[in-house]
């Protein structure tokens, strides 16, 4: 029985109806277990087609806001959530090539400041250390990104979550890369937003696919200019220019670039953020080249985006720890650390190239032009992952990175030496041969 009559659902489109219901859940108009009206009844009440309501309910199910209980109808979930794309635990005894992590040999030791003097009150009035702010401006300016307006966050995902939650409302659409960063593909629906997949090739986002997504009503775009996870794609100059031409047709859309591999991508930056867009932001994190425990990121953006981000930050955590800021500043300014990072960037490029070349010797196509990973298209992800597991390798099935794109596996090459790459390629070819013998084709 439909019991949530105290909340009036509104909307003339599937997106509007879904957003209305989600607001009802957030504001308490619907409680866990409350039944939504049957599709045809709600369609009659709103003057829309049953298909429109059915689409709204389907979107809510995909985000975990509601569940369907057969004849019991559609009800609000007990604990609205989304299915996680987090990786499974690495089995013991296997070489871990699934995590996307850097080689520890190229990470500096973290050196927090030896002395931190107590201060009176909070740092809300001066949340950013001047020394680190200057280093951050230089970091972005090095690659042509406007650095007049910069601020800090607790890592890339923390920053992107704040940007999207201040800019968009539940039910709004976000264009994401497909295949794309699995944590982002978890984050967007967790914020109550709809994902619109945009195809990626070796040069990043496909311009026509992006135009189609923007025409559908997308309010924000999240992409990587280089070191794209999982494919290693990067924007060439010509691709960047094509994408800029598309985005300028939709000046109200916020473009967020995640340049998380800025210092170890191995390629020149041709970013959208450097193109003079009206609404833009670029976030850079230090996790991949200075250490995963250094939860600090820099953000450069337009003035309106900066104000919204920092306004929300002040209402929540307030600021990034000054101890953390001092640590980051010390590392960014250290010449020895910069040389270590540069050595890592060269090694990562050589290791990617080594595996791609080794696989090519067996007629296996792989891509990975920048960053820490190689993406290998396959027909059967499970067969490849399990086959390599029996040979001592643990690689990532592509399913957790994909929405509508073709199957593949991701291999992190950051710590994979050239000799080991030859062995992995031989095992990969053997697994593919076994799969073809078993399933044909």
């Amino acid at each position: 029985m439909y019991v949530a009559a105290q909340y009036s659902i509104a909307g003339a489109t599937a997106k509007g109806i879904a957003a209305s219901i989600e607001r009802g859940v957030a504001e308490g108009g619907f409680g866990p277990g409350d039944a939504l009206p049957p599709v045809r009844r709600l369609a009659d009440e709103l003057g829309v087609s049953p298909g429109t309501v059915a689409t709204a309910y389907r979107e809510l199910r995909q985000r975990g806001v509601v569940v369907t209980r057969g004849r019991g109808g559609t009800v609000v979930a007990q604990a609205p959530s989304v299915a996680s794309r987090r990786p499974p635990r690495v089995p013991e005894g296997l070489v871990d090539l699934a995590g996307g992590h850097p080689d520890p040999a190229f990470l500096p030791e973290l050196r927090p400041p030896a002395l931190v003097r107590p201060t009176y009150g909070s740092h809300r009035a001066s949340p950013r250390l001047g020394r680190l702010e200057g280093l951050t401006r230089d970091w972005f300016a090095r690659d042509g990104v406007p650095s007049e307006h910069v601020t800090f966050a607790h890592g890339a995902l923390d920053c992107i979550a704040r940007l999207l939650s201040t800019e968009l409302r539940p039910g709004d659409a976000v264009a994401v890369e497909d295949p794309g960063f699995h944590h982002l593909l978890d984050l967007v629906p967790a914020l109550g937003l709809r994902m619109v997949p945009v195809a990626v090739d070796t040069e990043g986002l496909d311009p026509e696919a992006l135009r189609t997504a923007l025409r559908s009503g997308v309010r924000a775009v999240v992409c990587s200019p280089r070191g794209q996870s999982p494919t290693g794609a990067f924007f060439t100059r010509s691709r960047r220019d094509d994408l800029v031409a598309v985005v300028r047709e939709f000046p109200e859309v916020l473009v967020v670039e995640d340049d998380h591999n800025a210092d170890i991508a191995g390629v020149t930056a041709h970013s959208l953020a450097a193109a003079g867009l009206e609404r833009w932001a670029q976030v850079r994190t230090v996790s991949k080249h200075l250490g995963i425990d250094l939860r600090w990121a820099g953000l450069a953006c337009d003035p309106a985006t900066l104000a919204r981000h920092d306004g929300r930050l002040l209402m929540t955590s307030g600021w990034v720890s000054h101890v953390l800021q001092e640590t980051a500043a010390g590392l960014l300014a250290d010449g020895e650390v910069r040389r270590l990072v540069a050595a890592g960037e060269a090694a990562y490029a050589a290791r990617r190239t080594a595996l791609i070349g080794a696989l090519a010797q067996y007629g296996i196509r792989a891509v990975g032009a920048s960053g820490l990973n190689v993406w290998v298209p396959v027909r059967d992800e499970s067969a490849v992952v399990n086959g390599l597991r029996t040979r001592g390798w643990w690689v990532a099935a592509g399913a957790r990175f994909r929405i509508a794109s073709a199957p593949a596996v991701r291999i992190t090459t950051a710590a994979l030496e050239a000799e080991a790459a030859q062995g992995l390629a031989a095992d990969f070819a053997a697994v593919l041969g076994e799969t073809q013998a078993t399933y044909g084709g």
Side-chain angles (χ1 to χ4, degrees):
M1 172 186 270
Y2 171 47
V3 297
Q6 69 272 24
Y7 184 83
S8 179
I9 300 172
T13 64
K15 183 175 78 170
I17 294 167
S20 175
I21 293 171
E22 195 151 12
R23 280 195 299 272
V25 173
E27 296 169 1
F30 291 112
D34 282 354
L36 298 182
V39 168
R40 290 190 178 278
R41 182 192 303 175
L42 183 57
D44 289 342
E45 291 176 0
L46 297 179
V48 299
S49 72
T52 299
V53 176
T55 298
Y57 282 9
R58 183 170 64 251
E59 291 176 356
L60 292 170
R61 283 196 302 273
Q62 291 173 346
R63 294 206 298 275
V65 178
V66 303
V67 295
T68 299
R69 293 178 175 171
R71 293 184 178 179
T74 300
V75 302
V76 177
Q78 291 297 319
S81 62
V82 294
S84 175
R85 297 172 183 255
R86 291 185 180 278
R89 185 183 299 275
V90 181
E92 291 186 11
L94 301 187
V95 178
D96 180 12
L97 302 176
H101 304 305
D103 186 342
F106 298 109
L107 297 177
E109 292 183 356
L110 300 185
R111 296 188 294 274
L115 178 66
V116 180
R117 297 187 181 279
T119 61
Y120 176 78
S122 77
H123 291 300
R124 291 180 187 273
S126 55
R128 295 183 295 278
L129 292 177
R131 178 188 179 206
L132 183 55
E133 189 167 352
L135 289 166
T136 302
R137 294 184 193 280
D138 293 342
W139 192 21
F140 285 107
R142 177 193 71 188
D143 295 310
V145 176
S147 58
E148 180 181 358
H149 305 286
V150 300
T151 189
F152 305 156
H154 301 91
L157 284 173
D158 170 72
C159 183
I160 293 171
R162 194 170 296 111
L163 292 172
L164 294 180
S165 63
T166 57
E167 187 73 22
L168 281 67
R169 296 293 177 265
D172 284 345
V174 180
V176 298
E177 298 164 325
D178 183 21
F181 183 36
H182 60 295
H183 290 308
L184 178 70
L185 302 187
D186 271 347
L187 174 65
V188 172
L191 295 173
L193 305 172
R194 293 185 298 116
M195 292 191 295
V196 176
V198 177
V200 172
D201 61 20
T202 57
E203 296 182 57
L205 292 174
D206 177 84
E208 286 308 312
L210 178 60
R211 179 178 278 112
T212 298
L214 292 170
R215 284 175 175 169
S216 74
V218 159
R219 295 283 310 281
V221 178
V222 183
C223 60
S224 297
R226 52 185 168 176
Q228 195 266 354
S229 179
T231 70
F234 69 95
F235 294 161
T236 59
R237 184 183 298 275
S238 61
R239 175 59 58 87
R240 188 275 308 274
D241 292 345
D242 290 343
L243 291 171
V244 168
V246 171
V247 171
R248 282 184 173 151
E249 298 174 21
F250 306 87
E252 73 284 357
V253 172
L254 174 65
V255 176
V256 180
E257 283 189 311
D258 179 6
D259 196 10
H260 62 285
N261 275 323
D263 286 55
I264 54 171
V267 294
T268 301
H270 299 294
S271 70
L272 302 177
L277 302 178
E278 290 191 33
R279 299 300 317 282
W280 65 277
Q282 186 181 101
V283 57
R284 294 185 174 187
T285 180
V286 296
S287 297
K288 297 297 186 184
H289 70 282
L290 296 183
I292 60 173
D293 201 41
L294 195 58
R295 308 305 298 165
W296 175 83
L299 170 68
C301 55
D302 66 84
T305 299
L306 179 79
R308 292 174 184 177
H309 174 278
D310 281 7
R312 180 65 59 87
L313 180 66
L314 287 172
M315 290 189 292
T316 52
S317 58
W319 65 91
V320 176
S321 162
H322 279 204
V323 176
L324 193 62
Q325 290 189 46
E326 289 281 11
T327 304
L331 292 169
L332 289 173
D334 190 314
E336 285 297 323
V337 171
R338 288 197 295 271
R339 284 186 282 274
L340 179 64
V341 171
E345 182 177 38
Y348 296 146
R351 293 169 184 178
R352 285 193 320 270
T353 302
L355 180 59
I356 292 171
L359 290 169
Q361 293 174 8
Y362 294 92
I364 301 170
R365 175 181 172 270
V367 296
S370 63
L372 304 179
N373 304 294
V374 166
W375 185 248
V376 190
V378 297
R379 280 203 300 264
D380 188 331
E381 294 178 1
S382 296
V384 172
V385 170
N386 291 328
L388 288 175
R389 176 178 181 176
T390 65
R391 288 167 169 77
W393 308 100
W394 186 245
V395 302
R400 75 173 188 263
F401 306 97
R402 299 187 292 106
I403 301 174
S405 54
V409 296
R410 190 190 76 169
I411 303 174
T412 299
T413 56
L416 185 69
E417 300 284 358
E419 183 177 346
Q422 292 290 336
L424 172 60
D427 286 341
F428 204 114
V431 168
L432 291 183
E434 293 173 358
T435 301
Q436 290 174 353
T438 300
Y439 299 106

